[in-house]
Every structure is written in C-alpha cells, then in structure tokens.
Amino acid sequence: MMIQIFGIPIQALLGQLLIGLINGSFYAILSLGLAIIFGLLNIINFTHGAQYMLGAFAAWMSLTYLGANYWVGLILAPLAVGAFGILMERFMLRRLYHLDHLYGLLLTFGLALILEGVFRQLYGVSGLSYTIPEIFQGGVNLKFMFLPYYRAWVIVASLSVCFATWYVIERTKLGAYLRAATEKPELLQAFGVNVPLMITLTFGYGVALAGFAGVLAAPIYQVTPVMGSNLIIVVFAVVVIGGMGSILGSIVTGIALGLIEGLTKVFYPEASGLVVFVIMALVLLLRPAGLFGREK
Amino acid sequence: MAKKRLLTAFGTGLALLMAVSGASAAGLSDGVVKVGVMTDMSGAYSDLCGPGSVVAAQMAIDDFGGKVLGKKIELVSVDHQNKADIAANKAREWFDTEKVDVIADLPTSSAALAVMEVANQKNKITLISTGASTKITNDSCIATNVHWTYDTYALAVGTGKAVVANGGDTWFFITADYAFGHSLEGDTAAVVEANGGKVLGKVRAPFPNTDFSSFLLQAQASGAKIIGLANAGADTINSIKQAKEFGITQNQTLAGLLIFITDINSLGLDTAQGMMLTTGFYWDRNDETRAWSKRFRERHKNMPTMGQAGVYSSLMHYFAAVEKAGTDDSAAVMAAMKSMPINDMFAKNGYIRDDGRMVHDMYLVQVKKPSESKGPWDYYNVLRTIPGDEAYMSLDKSTCKLVKK
C-alpha cells in the first residue's frame, strides 16, 4: 500500500525533497559568500551572480582551451574568480567604504551588467554545454527516485565547503580576528593585525565561493551569461530572510528555502518562483533583521 | 537609521535587478524604401533571431541589388527587448518620423501583436518571422501583415501528429507558465487527442526557470511515453539537459515543441540526439538552401535559424512586390505580394492567404546521433515534408475577420 500525503505518494515527496536539498545547497553556498562579504565589508555585492557565471565560464574555458579536467577546473576557476574579486576590491570598492551603501551597490551592479554584456557579446545567450565528468556519469536508483551521482556530489561538496567556512569563522583564531575586524577594525589594527589585507582576502574568498558554485553548476545548467542574474535575485532574498551578514543563518536558510521551494513545485508549481519572496515579505514584516540576524 | 538605509539600498538593488534589460540601438537614415528589423538583440532570443536577422535583411537588400524602382533601399534595426510597449512606441516612431515602410522579424508574440496594431493604424506592412502565436492570423489579423515562417499550430501539428503516429500516444506536458506556453500546450494537446492519443497530465513551470528536475520527476511519475516541452529558449535547453541527467530519456521520449537549430547547437548532439521537432527551414536540405546558408554563415558565425531565413525570404518577396506594383503604397504592395507565388531557398510555391498566413511546407526532423553527424551544424535527418495545407490551420477554422466564408 502506498502512503500518501495530501494526495501525493510519499515516494514522490521524498524525491522532491531531495531535489529541494540539492537546490538548497546552491542557495546556501551563494548566500554564504554574500553574507561573509556583507558581514565584514558592509558591501552588498551585486556582482555575486556575475561572479558565479564567471566561475562556470572559467571551468568551461579551462576544459575547452586548456584541456583541463573537471577537478582542475574546480580548483582553478574559484582561484581565478577570487583573484578577480581581489582586484575589484583593491582598485574599486576600497574607494567607497566611507560612502553610503548605495554607492557600493551601484558599482557592483554596474560591474555585473558589464560582465554579462561582455560574455553575451562573446558567447551569445543560448550558452555552452559542459558535460558531466566521466566519474559522475549515471546515477543510483533509490527506489523513490533516480539520483544522478553528480547531484549527490553537489550536496556533499557544497555542504562541506559551507561547514568548513562556518567552522573557520566561528571556531578558530583566524575567525576571531575576522569577527573582531567587523566590530572594531581600528582596535584590531592597533594590535598589529593588517586589517586592510584581511578585508581584501575575505572579499576574495567570498567571491571565490561564488566561482566555486559556478563550477558546480556548470554540468547541470547550461553555461550562459545570464545564469547568474536568474539565480541571484532568489539568493538575495535568502540572505534577507536569514539575516544579513549571519553566517549560520545564510547556510540554514539556503537549505530550508530550497526544501520549501521543492515542496511548492509539487503542491502548487505555479507559485514556486514566488514562494521565496512571499516568505521574505513575511520575515521582513515580523522580524526585520532576518531569522538569524541581530538588530544593530 | 543605518538599517533603514541599508534596506532602501537592498530594495533599490532588487528593483534594478528585476528591471534590467539590454540597451537599445537604433540606426537612422533617409530613403524611399526603408526596412526596419525589429528584434531581440540581446535577450533570451537574440541567438535565434537578433543580429542574425539583421544580417539576413542586409543580405536580402544586397541580393536585390540595393535598389528598388531605382531608389535606394535602407535598413534600420532596433532591440525591442521582447517588450510590447517598447515595440509599439518604436514602431510608431519609425512610421511617423523615420519613414519606415515595412517592419520585419518581430519575435515574442505580445510584441508582434502590439506592432501590428500600430501598423494597422498607420497602414504600414509587417512581416512577422520569429513571432509564433496563431492569434496573429486569427483574432488579431490585419490586412497589411504576413506571418511568414511558422506558428504554434504548425509546430503542434507537425510534431504532435508524427509522435502519436510513431506510438507515442500518452503525453505529459511541462509548460512555461505564460500565454505562449499555454497556447503551445493547448494546440498540441488538441492534436494529440484528435489523433487518438491521451494527455495524462501537465505541470506549469514558472517562467523563466533553471532547475527542471522537480517537474521532470513529476513527468516521470506520470508514466507517459512522451514528455512534451511547451517552452522555448533557455527553458527548453535546461529541461532537455536535465532530463538526460536524471535518466528520464532512457524510458521516455522528449518532444520539443519549439526548438531552433541554435538551441541544438548549444545543447550538443550527445544530449539532444533522437529528439523530433518541426521546423520551417533547414540549411542542409538541398543545393539552394546550402548555398544560401553558406553565404549567411560567412557573414554571421552561425548557420541560419528558420526565423532568420524567413526574414530574408519575406523581404525578397516584399522588394519584388514593390517593383511589380511600381509603388510602395501598402495596399498595392500587399496585393502584389499575394498575387505572386513564393519560390526561393525558403519556400516552394508558397502563397499568402487572406488572413496573412504564408503557407509553405514544414519539415519534421529528428536530431542526429553524434556518430551520424559529419560536422558542425550537421544536426537533422528530415523525416517528412509536411505539405503547407496540412501544416497550417485551414481557413474554415479561422477567426480572422478578413476571411470571407
């Protein structure tokens, strides 16, 4: 006998939840990068989506032009995108720290448009295909659904990176410095810590996370210049719901929203593009600082 | 206070993100016969029409000798960003102040319909190539429009009928949740049922959408033999890619209801192989199509889509009609266009009906296996030529007010 929940067989529901978890881990890793950048630099990084796109393109380029395999791409692409982020921080963002948030927003938003435009000019909008690496071809039949090996890898990879990042920031001495730099940068500088360098590297790391997510996404989604702008709106909503700047909040919210979205796709698919924003509106009404955020 | 400012910044950013769109580029010129190509230059459809359609239009002008009735032919183009309001405003400006005589291409049905309304008021000609809705030649038909390349009905008939005939008699639809998707799904479901097939279910996916795995699992659970993709562009590409990833294509077959050759090119044959689809043009059909397409590719890095080939064909016919009529007066040119059969690399014995439909043969094709393909752009096996009168909705079903019954 088949057990049903609201007319949906439980097997089907399990499958949908698993898919939600996969999407949630993408949201988690992207919103984590945003949260780190926002928490430490107070910059709303609207280039995040474009940097995710850059990561996917970097993986595609390393495969096509250098013949490098997926694993090399997985390391090279985030490094390249992170380096791009570091240049961006040093030569542009740094000049805006003393100004209103809006200036950083306009700069990062403009850069995102430029990057997208350049890639659209070079590669067109229908995009490029990145085949799933040999080792992850195929999948396993879990009875309730067919789980492609690659999707399983996405969950493992992104959750490990999320956990490692959380651990470093919340549980190590380096993390303590970072958190101190957020609260009282002048004091930390007085203790002999090179705060500007730390900020640059942190920004680079946050951006590299976007690049990493881009590489993970390349074999699943079509690699297109607009792949980031489609996703980034949802990710921003995730960050707002989780509480801007909260590390744990962004991870947990990312996964939770992936699951909720997955369920919506079963019960009322038409609303699945909207559900995240409805939740965002509710959270802003009831807890303006976000679920995990603190009022400053 | 800081918090409030931050939220303002956030809100501004989100609004910007949602409103973002490509920049528009307009060319200016004076001339007696002036062609305007209105298309999607940078958005979701820009690879399948866009700059390639402008190239096709320029080719038509060059091939006609650059002159008609001894006067120079000029070309302008604009990015309508797939937005009906921008399209209508630009059309009005073109007709009123820039002396544009004819507008070609017009992807995105809503934008095409908006431009037709303006053209009707100003008594100017529109030649729709990439726009797809059957509304163009039915409820919204006008006397000065020709719908050149294809429509959702022809796609549904071509693909739906062939797939059912091949044993694909149970269907599940993954539909883009907007007017175009609904119309494609409706047209196809009607054809499937009329031919003895059954529709087991459907799911309406938000538009645009990147992850289709959830909808694909629902399609899989339905047990239908055929999964009909009533969507377009990036949505279709991602659905096909993910269907393969989830092993769905081992037991079920995908039927892409609107697929352009540029989509196949970007998917790769490995992923797209075996799929059936209907198209109005394929470059590798005969010597004439190959010769023209080769010239096109020398100017534009891709092979032509049916939309781009249609832009060329429609403009060539328009120029010939202006010459025959001896004037660029819209009524006279329309009469001349309707009086001459269309015989070029695009159509054989094509003709234009009272509702504005250009009736020509369509082709049911199957995407080749990687091993069958001899090189780039060698993608289709033509399974069947669908005669024009079978491909398009017959006039006695038409709701166009210009059709006398």
Side-chain angles (χ1 to χ4, degrees), chain B residues 344-391:
Chain B
D344 57 9
M345 79 335 161
F346 181 82
K348 284 284 161 284
N349 293 319
Y351 63 94
I352 301 165
R353 297 193 308 210
D354 288 343
D355 60 350
R357 177 72 254 164
M358 199 281 265
V359 177
H360 62 98
D361 296 351
M362 297 288 286
Y363 308 95
L364 178 73
V365 301
Q366 186 163 31
V367 179
K368 288 186 174 178
K369 294 192 186 81
S371 59
E372 293 172 310
S373 168
K374 288 193 276 297
W377 302 97
D378 179 18
Y379 294 155
Y380 296 160
N381 284 317
V382 179
L383 298 182
R384 184 173 170 242
T385 299
I386 307 162
D389 291 318
E390 179 189 328

Side-chain angles (χ1 to χ4, degrees), chain A residues 168-200:
Chain A
V168 168
I169 292 180
E170 300 289 340
R171 292 283 183 273
T172 64
K173 197 167 174 192
L174 177 66
Y177 282 159
L178 285 175
R179 280 174 289 136
T182 340
E183 298 283 329
K184 290 262 183 303
E186 304 83 6
L187 197 60
L188 194 65
Q189 182 98 26
F191 282 130
V193 176
N194 187 344
V195 173
L197 178 70
M198 217 162 76
I199 288 184
T200 305

Side-chain angles (χ1 to χ4, degrees), chain B residues 175-176 246:
Chain B
T175 307
F246 277 83

Side-chain angles (χ1 to χ4, degrees), chain B residues 38-54:
Chain B
M38 190 179 285
T39 186
D40 173 9
M41 293 298 274
S42 56
Y45 305 134
S46 55
D47 277 356
L48 58 91
C49 48
S53 293
V54 180

Side-chain angles (χ1 to χ4, degrees), chain B residues 80 116 124-125 130 155 193 205 224 262-263 302 315 389:
Chain B
H80 72 12
M116 281 170 67
K124 299 281 183 179
I125 295 177
T130 310
L155 299 173
E193 277 160 1
T262 41
D263 298 334
N302 292 341
L315 284 175
D389 291 318

